[in-house]
Amino acid sequence: MNRETIELINTRRSCRAFRQEAVDGETVRELKRLTMRAPSAGNMLLYSVIEVTDPEKKAELAEICDSQIMIKNAPLVWVFLADNNKWEKFFTYSGSPEKFSKPMRETGLGDMHLCMQDAIIAAQNAVIAAEALGLGSCYIGDVIENYERLQKLLNLPAHAIPAAMLIMGYPLSEKREAVTPRPDPDSSLFMENGYADLTEEAIFSQYEHHRANYENKKLLPLDNTGSVADYYYNRKYTNAFMDEMNRSAKVFITRWLNEQ
């Protein structure tokens, strides 16, 4: 049993403040190598990664993603794309349709799902690899907002769409905050042989550690008397940024299907 790996996974948490120090080339190269060791559907690597290094592009990317200045200041910014475009080109360059007398089919949602899986699995490999290499990292979910601006900024074709984004660098502080709460391993999050009927008790129990943590920090709404559901309903589910995420995702999925 590799206790070091288990400890790394157990203690890793998001880092949003970095030293203004470039990550050396050898470390970046190793990070790329370890990222690519992620499982991939058919070993096709149905993803691409755009490393945003141009300061002006990083600044605009920060603005696109809800004006989060930490993106602009991060030494490493990687945008993971679900990328079927490269395989369509590969098939064409190879002359595969002609060799087998099989015309290219339409690219569909199944292709998109596989590409998304590959991209996000690779991103998580990068997160663990970064931690092992002494780098902090943070996922930026807002990369799926404002697709039209992102598409123009990064010159994205129809079949290369945003799946995830990571900012990485050397942590500004060596002090580690407490890890974020997670449910017990025997909670209702894990189900057996089918989707279980989630009772009120099961759901509240699943987020009991969240409740205790937020209550202790006085983060719960309604004068700290609300539930974890209240916290997320008010702070995220009904927030305007979710409207933009849903709008933007619909645009890039529609473009994926229609190749506009």
Side-chain angles (χ1 to χ4, degrees):
M1 182 181 296
N2 191 330
R3 299 300 310 181
E4 189 174 316
T5 301
I6 293 172
E7 180 66 11
L8 186 149
I9 293 171
N10 268 330
T11 58
R12 184 266 165 195
R13 63 165 302 147
S14 295
C15 176
R16 297 175 175 83
F18 309 99
R19 301 202 305 263
Q20 287 305 294
E21 175 184 342
V23 181
D24 68 273
E26 189 55 40
T27 298
V28 174
R29 190 173 188 278
E30 181 68 354
L31 181 60
K32 291 176 178 178
R33 188 185 71 81
L34 294 170
T35 296
M36 290 188 293
R37 292 311 308 164
S40 167
N43 196 27
M44 293 174 73
L45 289 87
L46 296 164
Y47 65 93
S48 294
V49 183
I50 295 178
E51 183 176 340
V52 183
T53 58
D54 182 284
E56 291 185 2
K57 287 197 172 189
K58 285 171 73 173
E60 184 172 350
L61 188 58
E63 187 179 327
I64 287 171
C65 297
D66 280 345
S67 299
Q68 297 186 76
I69 195 68
M70 62 186 180
I71 299 169
K72 176 183 175 181
N73 294 334
L76 273 181
V77 177
W78 284 9
V79 178
F80 286 76
L81 304 175
D83 186 5
N84 204 63
N85 180 72
K86 66 179 181 181
W87 274 95
E88 293 162 17
K89 287 187 174 294
F90 198 5
F91 294 144
T92 300
Y93 294 152
S94 183
S96 302
E98 293 76 23
K99 290 174 183 176
F100 297 100
S101 299
K102 292 181 179 180
M104 289 274 286
R105 61 170 174 79
E106 290 186 1
T107 298
L109 289 177
D111 298 293
M112 189 186 79
H113 202 301
L114 283 177
C115 292
M116 280 284 189
Q117 288 183 47
D118 266 21
I120 293 169
I121 293 168
Q124 184 59 17
N125 243 47
V127 162
I128 298 301
E131 191 79 6
L133 292 167
L135 302 174
S137 65
C138 183
Y139 277 105
I140 306 294
D142 303 278
V143 75
I144 65 173
E145 294 182 41
N146 299 301
Y147 170 68
E148 295 89 343
R149 290 181 63 186
L150 185 74
Q151 187 274 324
K152 183 178 180 181
L153 180 69
L154 301 181
N155 191 35
L156 303 180
H159 293 155
I161 60 177
M165 184 165 82
L166 287 176
I167 58 173
M168 296 174 282
Y170 297 109
L172 185 62
S173 172
E174 295 300 319
K175 183 181 178 181
R176 304 286 296 209
E177 295 183 33
V179 294
T180 47
R182 294 292 189 269
D184 291 324
D186 55 356
S187 77
S188 59
L189 189 146
F190 289 92
M191 302 175 181
E192 185 174 358
N193 295 325
Y195 198 89
D197 179 27
L198 288 172
T199 64
E200 179 179 337
E201 180 183 4
I203 296 175
F204 271 79
S205 176
Q206 188 174 134
Y207 290 96
E208 177 58 27
H209 293 314
H210 287 66
R211 185 205 60 77
N213 182 58
Y214 295 166
E215 186 178 55
N216 182 56
K217 294 180 178 180
K218 300 189 183 305
L219 293 175
L220 293 176
L222 307 174
D223 295 326
N224 214 38
T225 64
S227 68
V228 173
D230 297 331
Y231 173 83
Y232 283 105
Y233 186 85
N234 188 53
R235 188 167 182 264
K236 289 186 178 290
Y237 191 76
T238 58
N239 196 295
F241 75 77
M242 282 306 308
D243 292 334
E244 170 53 27
M245 280 190 179
N246 286 323
R247 183 208 66 81
S248 181
K250 185 175 182 179
V251 172
F252 65 68
I253 291 171
T254 299
R255 185 175 181 231
W256 177 286
L257 291 174
N258 298 327
E259 299 184 66
Q260 296 173 350

